[in-house]
Amino acid sequence: MSVSLLAMDHPGIKGKVIDANNNQPIDFADVLLFIQGKEQPIMHILPDTDGVFRFSNMKEGAYSLLIRLVGYDVYTRQDIVLSPASPCLDLGIVAMQPLEIGLAEVEVVAQKKQIIYKLDKRVIEASSNMLASGGSAVDILENTPSIRVDAEGEVSFRGSSGFAVYVDGKPSVFSGTQALEQIPAGHIENIEIITTPSARHDTGGDVGIINIITKKHSQRGLSGMVNLTGSTLLSRGADFLITQQNDASRWYVGGVWTDRLLKSDFNQQKTTLLGDTTTMSHSDGPRKSNNFNYALKAGAMYSLPKTTLNLDLEGGYGGREREGDLDYREERSADKGMFEAGDYLSRDYYDLHETYFQGSIGADHKLNDKGHQLTASFYLKYGGDALEYFQSDLFDKNNERQQGHRAYEDEHRWTVRGNVDYIFPYRETGRLESGYQYFSYLEDGDYSMEFWNPEKKEFYWRDDIYNTFYFQHGINSVYALVSDSYKSFQYQVGLRGEHTHRVLRSSIKGKNRTFNHFDLFPSLHLGYNFPKEHQLMASYSRRITRPQLFYMEPYITYRDYYSAEIGNPDIRSEYIDSYELNYKKNIHEHTLSASVFHRSRKDKIERLRVPYEAGVTLDSMANVGNDYSTGLEVSAQIQAMRRWHVNLNASLYHYKVVNKLSRSDKKETSTNYEVALNNTFEAAKYTRIQFDGNFVGPSVTTQGKTDAFWYVNLAVRQQMLNRKLSATLSFRDVFNSARYVSNITTSDLQSITRIRPKYPSITLTLSYTFNNYKIKGSQSKVQHDLFEGTNH
């Protein structure tokens, strides 16, 4: 919630902005106030989530008002007069009229802001990045300050991958990066990044919450869109969305078929010391992966005079698979020299997938027209036929299998979530919120492995490895939140209490665990609007990262022949304290914003790599110590020329890890920096060109470092058929400059990994809309996930 700017017992102007067709509030419009007769605005604000705007501390005089939003006709009002007799003026409802020609018609004269800052979140506009066409939520986020994508496509934010992902305020079917990859960019309206969430939100995710808002067409009648995409890497996809909007009801149906491929050349040199034996290995060859999702969804909404009901359903099949075909050489030596060497072909494959069904129902009841309301929702998801399958083989040069194994983890997963939320506006600018939430995640299954017997030339089951497991994670939460404003000062204070109950059962003796704990999580958000459109916001939030099942699995699994993993049933939760200070300044058509942040994390969870067998490393989970991130993010949105728009995003932060597992409390530090420069040129009335430059600085972990790399992307979009059809051609890593280099070094291990993405990577996306579907812009693809194979 963005709290109001003014109580109307102070001189000022207020009003409420709505969509003229559906009467829904509009909270992203630019509201500009002018002294009558002047060309430059004296104030520039955004409405709150209810569409209400307020200008405070006004002097007597004559003013004019302008409200604009891409896709709507411009609203103007003259002769607004404040006098001693009427110091407080209520303009009432301002109904913005959608442009019937659609958004594409006005894009050449109005470029949407890439990032919009609210009191407790920042909003990334999906239409601001033309290179996201045919991509996913990852592509839209790519130019956001401090977002980094590693060589395997894993997203991190401010040095952490511990973010929670929600879709329209509900938990995603998948988690982390996989959740972002599964949602087509064409279905996304915008993305909310909540770095210091208030007490209203879940506390999971150490760097906050990424909430994806999907498109919900609001024009009357039947409308829709279809997107098709394909690339030189053989990525392919299709998605559609059809919506019927009536006076008091809406229904929609949509679908997605996506195979998102990454291909890279993989090279790894590894040296392990186990006892008196040193093993040196060299792997070289191609790798490829596929993030896939095939799903259908449908939903409906019905509005009564004071109550709105909604229902959403989705079912599909999704996951990720990866395979490698590598030349592999291994040498073993001891004090007397090398005693064994061999050349092999290493072939590995894994497949993680599930068939899922999810549904949610919700109700929103207005107790009056002043914001007094009660909402409730229930969400249920079942993941069946879930399998994590790993396969690794070593063949000699005659293609005879020498070693190999198969690993199977069969699972069933249930997720339940229920919410009740209450809002009481105790005065015009003040709100009291409270609520209760229940969350439960349950997973049960078994793990089994079979190994190759070279003498019998057949696979056999390892009964000593077979394991059954049961994991249940339940959280009961209550919260209270108060928000208000006084003149130009805004505040929001909250407290959330959570009781966690966790059960782990395993057939491995001595590995059962039960955990119960209660925690308090405070939050604070402050805002102040200075004269001449200066805005300052400060916030604090306490977060937690609770161990997931794969952190705790007490048995060894194999990712490939020379990489094994094991969980830690005694892993502890991470506790995170986040502080943030944001500054924003509007300068005519330009916007400058900056954020200073500090995050401290206790009991950091990290994957550690140690030698396991000759030539095989074992990754285990551990609380390695504490880490600290302190940095600066800067964003500038510049109208360089009438047809040239520039977005510059940069981040610089210092990262320190205090490793409590080493005898000397070893400290690893790095200065991390990223720069993204986005240029959009309107070459002609129906043609746009986007040229991006990206530089990603080095980073460190407790065991090693990753080198810096850079790349450039290019995209061209052409609109046709009265702008109903658009074609976007994008070329990633134009100069073939991206290189991923990771170096892990310990006392008994050195592992150097080099990955080079396949070249060229060119994508064509076709988008068609019918019956004036009001899309929020055309998206296309830009991202750092150029590589495949970093988890090795």
Short mmCIF file of all heavy atoms in Angstrom, two decimals, residues 372-401:
data_model
loop_
_atom_site.label_atom_id
_atom_site.label_comp_id
_atom_site.label_asym_id
_atom_site.label_seq_id
_atom_site.Cartn_x
_atom_site.Cartn_y
_atom_site.Cartn_z
N HIS A 372 -13.12 0.32 4.01
CA HIS A 372 -13.34 -0.66 5.07
C HIS A 372 -13.72 -1.98 4.40
O HIS A 372 -14.80 -2.10 3.81
CB HIS A 372 -14.46 -0.18 5.98
CG HIS A 372 -14.54 -0.95 7.26
ND1 HIS A 372 -15.58 -0.80 8.15
CD2 HIS A 372 -13.71 -1.87 7.83
CE1 HIS A 372 -15.39 -1.60 9.18
NE2 HIS A 372 -14.27 -2.25 9.00
N GLN A 373 -12.85 -3.00 4.49
CA GLN A 373 -13.12 -4.22 3.74
C GLN A 373 -12.54 -5.45 4.42
O GLN A 373 -11.64 -5.37 5.27
CB GLN A 373 -12.56 -4.11 2.32
CG GLN A 373 -11.06 -3.98 2.24
CD GLN A 373 -10.59 -3.75 0.81
OE1 GLN A 373 -11.12 -2.90 0.10
NE2 GLN A 373 -9.60 -4.51 0.39
N LEU A 374 -13.06 -6.61 4.00
CA LEU A 374 -12.63 -7.92 4.50
C LEU A 374 -12.40 -8.81 3.28
O LEU A 374 -13.24 -8.90 2.40
CB LEU A 374 -13.71 -8.52 5.40
CG LEU A 374 -13.41 -9.89 6.02
CD1 LEU A 374 -12.27 -9.79 7.03
CD2 LEU A 374 -14.67 -10.45 6.68
N THR A 375 -11.24 -9.45 3.22
CA THR A 375 -10.92 -10.33 2.11
C THR A 375 -10.52 -11.70 2.63
O THR A 375 -10.00 -11.83 3.75
CB THR A 375 -9.78 -9.77 1.25
OG1 THR A 375 -8.60 -9.65 2.06
CG2 THR A 375 -10.14 -8.40 0.70
N ALA A 376 -10.75 -12.71 1.83
CA ALA A 376 -10.38 -14.08 2.19
C ALA A 376 -10.01 -14.83 0.92
O ALA A 376 -10.56 -14.57 -0.16
CB ALA A 376 -11.52 -14.79 2.91
N SER A 377 -9.07 -15.77 1.03
CA SER A 377 -8.67 -16.58 -0.12
C SER A 377 -8.19 -17.94 0.35
O SER A 377 -7.75 -18.11 1.49
CB SER A 377 -7.57 -15.88 -0.92
OG SER A 377 -6.39 -15.75 -0.14
N PHE A 378 -8.28 -18.91 -0.57
CA PHE A 378 -7.81 -20.27 -0.29
C PHE A 378 -7.13 -20.79 -1.55
O PHE A 378 -7.66 -20.66 -2.66
CB PHE A 378 -8.96 -21.19 0.10
CG PHE A 378 -8.54 -22.61 0.36
CD1 PHE A 378 -7.93 -22.95 1.56
CD2 PHE A 378 -8.72 -23.59 -0.60
CE1 PHE A 378 -7.51 -24.26 1.81
CE2 PHE A 378 -8.32 -24.91 -0.36
CZ PHE A 378 -7.70 -25.23 0.85
N TYR A 379 -5.96 -21.39 -1.35
CA TYR A 379 -5.15 -21.87 -2.48
C TYR A 379 -4.74 -23.32 -2.21
O TYR A 379 -4.35 -23.68 -1.09
CB TYR A 379 -3.90 -20.99 -2.62
CG TYR A 379 -2.83 -21.54 -3.53
CD1 TYR A 379 -2.87 -21.32 -4.90
CD2 TYR A 379 -1.76 -22.27 -3.01
CE1 TYR A 379 -1.87 -21.81 -5.73
CE2 TYR A 379 -0.76 -22.76 -3.83
CZ TYR A 379 -0.81 -22.53 -5.19
OH TYR A 379 0.18 -23.01 -6.00
N LEU A 380 -4.83 -24.17 -3.24
CA LEU A 380 -4.46 -25.57 -3.13
C LEU A 380 -3.71 -25.99 -4.39
O LEU A 380 -4.14 -25.68 -5.50
CB LEU A 380 -5.70 -26.45 -2.95
CG LEU A 380 -5.47 -27.98 -2.93
CD1 LEU A 380 -4.67 -28.36 -1.68
CD2 LEU A 380 -6.80 -28.72 -2.98
N LYS A 381 -2.58 -26.66 -4.19
CA LYS A 381 -1.80 -27.16 -5.32
C LYS A 381 -1.34 -28.59 -5.05
O LYS A 381 -0.90 -28.92 -3.94
CB LYS A 381 -0.60 -26.26 -5.58
CG LYS A 381 0.26 -26.70 -6.76
CD LYS A 381 1.68 -26.97 -6.33
CE LYS A 381 2.48 -27.57 -7.47
NZ LYS A 381 3.88 -27.79 -7.10
N TYR A 382 -1.45 -29.44 -6.07
CA TYR A 382 -0.98 -30.82 -5.98
C TYR A 382 0.01 -31.07 -7.10
O TYR A 382 -0.26 -30.79 -8.27
CB TYR A 382 -2.13 -31.81 -6.09
CG TYR A 382 -1.67 -33.25 -6.20
CD1 TYR A 382 -1.05 -33.89 -5.13
CD2 TYR A 382 -1.83 -33.96 -7.39
CE1 TYR A 382 -0.61 -35.20 -5.23
CE2 TYR A 382 -1.40 -35.27 -7.50
CZ TYR A 382 -0.78 -35.89 -6.42
OH TYR A 382 -0.34 -37.18 -6.51
N GLY A 383 1.19 -31.57 -6.73
CA GLY A 383 2.19 -31.95 -7.71
C GLY A 383 2.35 -33.46 -7.69
O GLY A 383 2.95 -34.02 -6.77
N GLY A 384 1.80 -34.12 -8.69
CA GLY A 384 1.87 -35.56 -8.78
C GLY A 384 2.80 -36.01 -9.89
O GLY A 384 3.26 -35.21 -10.71
N ASP A 385 3.10 -37.29 -9.92
CA ASP A 385 4.01 -37.82 -10.94
C ASP A 385 5.32 -37.04 -10.94
O ASP A 385 5.93 -36.81 -11.99
CB ASP A 385 3.34 -37.77 -12.32
CG ASP A 385 4.16 -38.47 -13.40
OD1 ASP A 385 4.84 -39.45 -13.05
OD2 ASP A 385 4.13 -38.02 -14.56
N ALA A 386 5.74 -36.57 -9.76
CA ALA A 386 6.96 -35.77 -9.66
C ALA A 386 8.17 -36.70 -9.61
O ALA A 386 8.22 -37.63 -8.81
CB ALA A 386 6.92 -34.88 -8.43
N LEU A 387 9.15 -36.42 -10.46
CA LEU A 387 10.33 -37.28 -10.53
C LEU A 387 11.58 -36.42 -10.69
O LEU A 387 11.60 -35.46 -11.47
CB LEU A 387 10.23 -38.23 -11.72
CG LEU A 387 11.45 -39.13 -11.97
CD1 LEU A 387 11.61 -40.14 -10.82
CD2 LEU A 387 11.33 -39.85 -13.31
N GLU A 388 12.60 -36.74 -9.90
CA GLU A 388 13.93 -36.19 -10.10
C GLU A 388 14.83 -37.34 -10.52
O GLU A 388 15.14 -38.23 -9.73
CB GLU A 388 14.44 -35.53 -8.82
CG GLU A 388 13.58 -34.36 -8.36
CD GLU A 388 14.11 -33.70 -7.10
OE1 GLU A 388 15.26 -34.01 -6.72
OE2 GLU A 388 13.39 -32.88 -6.51
N TYR A 389 15.22 -37.34 -11.80
CA TYR A 389 15.96 -38.46 -12.38
C TYR A 389 17.34 -38.00 -12.82
O TYR A 389 17.47 -36.99 -13.52
CB TYR A 389 15.20 -39.02 -13.58
CG TYR A 389 15.96 -40.07 -14.36
CD1 TYR A 389 16.15 -41.34 -13.83
CD2 TYR A 389 16.47 -39.79 -15.63
CE1 TYR A 389 16.85 -42.31 -14.54
CE2 TYR A 389 17.17 -40.74 -16.35
CZ TYR A 389 17.35 -42.00 -15.80
OH TYR A 389 18.04 -42.96 -16.51
N PHE A 390 18.39 -38.73 -12.39
CA PHE A 390 19.77 -38.42 -12.76
C PHE A 390 20.40 -39.66 -13.38
O PHE A 390 20.27 -40.76 -12.85
CB PHE A 390 20.58 -38.00 -11.52
CG PHE A 390 20.09 -36.74 -10.88
CD1 PHE A 390 19.01 -36.74 -10.02
CD2 PHE A 390 20.73 -35.53 -11.13
CE1 PHE A 390 18.56 -35.58 -9.43
CE2 PHE A 390 20.29 -34.36 -10.54
CZ PHE A 390 19.21 -34.38 -9.68
N GLN A 391 21.10 -39.45 -14.48
CA GLN A 391 21.75 -40.55 -15.18
C GLN A 391 23.15 -40.14 -15.58
O GLN A 391 23.35 -39.05 -16.14
CB GLN A 391 20.95 -40.92 -16.44
CG GLN A 391 21.63 -41.90 -17.38
CD GLN A 391 20.83 -42.13 -18.63
OE1 GLN A 391 19.60 -42.21 -18.58
NE2 GLN A 391 21.49 -42.22 -19.77
N SER A 392 24.16 -40.97 -15.28
CA SER A 392 25.54 -40.69 -15.65
C SER A 392 26.20 -41.97 -16.15
O SER A 392 25.99 -43.05 -15.58
CB SER A 392 26.33 -40.14 -14.47
OG SER A 392 25.85 -38.88 -14.09
N ASP A 393 27.02 -41.83 -17.19
CA ASP A 393 27.72 -42.97 -17.76
C ASP A 393 29.11 -42.54 -18.22
O ASP A 393 29.30 -41.42 -18.71
CB ASP A 393 26.96 -43.55 -18.96
CG ASP A 393 25.62 -44.14 -18.57
OD1 ASP A 393 25.61 -45.16 -17.87
OD2 ASP A 393 24.60 -43.56 -18.97
N LEU A 394 30.08 -43.47 -18.08
CA LEU A 394 31.41 -43.32 -18.65
C LEU A 394 31.63 -44.44 -19.65
O LEU A 394 31.50 -45.63 -19.31
CB LEU A 394 32.49 -43.38 -17.57
CG LEU A 394 32.74 -42.12 -16.73
CD1 LEU A 394 33.87 -42.37 -15.74
CD2 LEU A 394 33.07 -40.93 -17.61
N PHE A 395 31.96 -44.08 -20.90
CA PHE A 395 32.23 -45.04 -21.96
C PHE A 395 33.69 -44.92 -22.39
O PHE A 395 34.27 -43.83 -22.36
CB PHE A 395 31.34 -44.76 -23.18
CG PHE A 395 29.87 -44.96 -22.93
CD1 PHE A 395 29.10 -43.94 -22.40
CD2 PHE A 395 29.26 -46.18 -23.22
CE1 PHE A 395 27.75 -44.12 -22.18
CE2 PHE A 395 27.91 -46.36 -23.00
CZ PHE A 395 27.15 -45.33 -22.48
N ASP A 396 34.29 -46.06 -22.77
CA ASP A 396 35.63 -45.99 -23.32
C ASP A 396 35.57 -45.57 -24.78
O ASP A 396 34.49 -45.31 -25.32
CB ASP A 396 36.37 -47.32 -23.13
CG ASP A 396 35.70 -48.49 -23.86
OD1 ASP A 396 34.92 -48.24 -24.82
OD2 ASP A 396 35.94 -49.65 -23.47
N LYS A 397 36.73 -45.49 -25.41
CA LYS A 397 36.76 -45.00 -26.78
C LYS A 397 36.09 -45.96 -27.76
O LYS A 397 35.79 -45.59 -28.90
CB LYS A 397 38.21 -44.74 -27.21
CG LYS A 397 38.87 -43.58 -26.44
CD LYS A 397 38.10 -42.28 -26.65
CE LYS A 397 38.76 -41.12 -25.95
NZ LYS A 397 38.05 -39.83 -26.15
N ASN A 398 35.87 -47.21 -27.32
CA ASN A 398 35.14 -48.17 -28.15
C ASN A 398 33.64 -48.14 -27.87
O ASN A 398 32.92 -49.03 -28.30
CB ASN A 398 35.68 -49.58 -27.91
CG ASN A 398 37.13 -49.70 -28.32
OD1 ASN A 398 37.55 -49.16 -29.35
ND2 ASN A 398 37.92 -50.42 -27.49
N ASN A 399 33.22 -47.12 -27.11
CA ASN A 399 31.81 -46.93 -26.76
C ASN A 399 31.27 -48.06 -25.89
O ASN A 399 30.07 -48.36 -25.92
CB ASN A 399 30.95 -46.78 -28.02
CG ASN A 399 29.70 -45.95 -27.76
OD1 ASN A 399 29.70 -45.05 -26.92
ND2 ASN A 399 28.63 -46.26 -28.47
N GLU A 400 32.14 -48.68 -25.10
CA GLU A 400 31.73 -49.68 -24.13
C GLU A 400 31.56 -49.00 -22.78
O GLU A 400 32.47 -48.31 -22.30
CB GLU A 400 32.77 -50.80 -24.03
CG GLU A 400 32.90 -51.66 -25.28
CD GLU A 400 31.72 -52.61 -25.43
OE1 GLU A 400 31.07 -52.90 -24.40
OE2 GLU A 400 31.45 -53.04 -26.57
N ARG A 401 30.42 -49.22 -22.13
CA ARG A 401 30.17 -48.59 -20.83
C ARG A 401 31.10 -49.17 -19.78
O ARG A 401 31.14 -50.39 -19.56
CB ARG A 401 28.72 -48.76 -20.41
CG ARG A 401 28.39 -48.08 -19.08
CD ARG A 401 26.97 -48.37 -18.62
NE ARG A 401 25.98 -47.59 -19.34
CZ ARG A 401 25.12 -48.09 -20.21
NH1 ARG A 401 25.15 -49.39 -20.47
NH2 ARG A 401 24.24 -47.32 -20.82
#
